[in-house]
Amino acid sequence: MMDYVNAFWVGGLICALVQILMEKTKMMPGRIMVLLVCTGAVLGALNIYQPFAEYAGAGASVPLLGFGNTLWKGVMEGVQKDGLLGAFTGGLSASAGGICAALVFGYLASLLFQPKMKK
């Protein structure tokens, strides 16, 4: 039960901090997303993200911080396996499942809800 509680409050805290960042700065959403991915990668490189993710579960792995950490892990595994070429292929290999799911579910949602351009 505590796993759910921890995931809920950590994920909610991340979302609240990002919302505050959006409201109080002039940063565009795309830049905030890049900031989150890069922060996740840096925290992974410093070996801070893994204990955080073990504590928070999906509350830490689902937001964009988790995506950055996944990219970092993939790059490190790719470099160990393939050398310099792994720096370019490892991140995509590690995150391919999540990227594919986002594309497929986004496409299915567009079929169901018929999105329109803003005027």
Side-chain angles (χ1 to χ4, degrees):
M1 183 65 170
M2 282 306 294
D3 291 339
Y4 294 116
V5 172
N6 290 337
F8 178 78
W9 81 262
V10 170
L13 181 64
I14 292 170
C15 292
L17 292 173
V18 170
Q19 188 65 40
I20 291 169
L21 190 63
M22 290 175 70
E23 298 288 329
K24 298 295 181 185
T25 68
K26 294 183 180 184
M27 290 179 70
M28 299 299 289
R31 289 183 185 220
I32 293 172
M33 290 173 29
V34 169
L35 177 69
L36 289 169
V37 171
C38 291
T39 301
V42 169
L43 291 175
L46 297 174
N47 292 322
I48 296 172
Y49 199 83
Q50 192 59 38
F52 175 63
E54 288 173 5
Y55 172 77
S61 62
V62 172
L64 284 172
L65 290 170
F67 181 67
N69 185 54
T70 300
L71 289 175
W72 170 255
K73 282 195 229 177
V75 166
M76 291 308 298
E77 290 173 10
V79 167
Q80 290 173 354
K81 181 181 171 195
D82 299 324
L84 183 60
L85 183 61
F88 299 103
T89 62
L92 290 175
S93 297
S95 60
I99 293 170
C100 183
L103 290 172
V104 168
F105 292 124
Y107 178 71
L108 292 175
S110 73
L111 291 177
L112 288 174
F113 298 107
Q114 300 173 355
K116 296 181 176 92
M117 296 296 290
K118 288 185 176 182
K119 293 181 182 182

